[in-house]
Amino acid sequence: MSFWLVIRLLKYVGMLMFAMGIAGTLLPNDQRVRQRAALWIATPGFVLTWFAGYGMTRELGLSLGEPWISISMVASMAALHETLRASEPGRTPSRLHAALILGLLLISLTSMVVRHV
């Protein structure tokens, strides 16, 4: 049971890092600060979330083909992609681009929370 709690904690920390990196990228900061947020906070948070999520599926005996897992994986990967695009030199994310990134993050989180419905 303690292994399960460690995996859950790692997943929460990963999601928090991912969301913080996205926020740091979307806030009107210096270009280098936005790039650091995307590359050094959002990306490791994404990786930690995926590894912890994989550990949780193995612990529960679930398939990665479950619809809620697939939706969450695709949405989080798209959110990371758009976050990295928003941090490119010479790009300032528009409101529409920020809404897209936040919407993808919300879809990913929602599918993880309401997985049994």
Side-chain angles (χ1 to χ4, degrees), residues 12-117:
Y12 287 136
V13 169
M15 284 305 300
L16 184 62
M17 286 175 62
F18 189 40
M20 286 172 48
I22 288 173
T25 303
L26 297 179
L27 292 174
N29 293 326
D30 179 47
Q31 179 67 36
R32 292 183 51 85
V33 172
R34 292 187 315 116
Q35 284 180 327
R36 283 187 196 134
L39 295 174
W40 294 103
I41 301 173
T43 303
F46 171 81
V47 171
L48 182 59
T49 301
W50 272 45
F51 278 126
Y54 179 76
M56 290 174 74
T57 59
R58 293 299 114 207
E59 189 72 17
L60 292 174
L62 296 172
S63 166
L64 291 177
E66 295 278 336
W68 64 272
I69 295 174
S70 299
I71 291 168
S72 179
M73 289 174 70
V74 169
S76 66
M77 190 180 318
L80 178 66
H81 172 73
E82 293 301 321
T83 300
L84 293 174
R85 278 190 57 213
S87 71
E88 289 176 350
R91 278 191 172 229
T92 305
S94 66
R95 290 181 191 258
L96 182 61
H97 198 213
L100 172 67
I101 294 168
L102 294 175
L104 289 167
L105 179 63
L106 183 64
I107 290 169
S108 177
L109 289 172
T110 302
S111 68
M112 283 186 254
V113 171
V114 290
R115 60 183 175 250
H116 298 294
V117 175

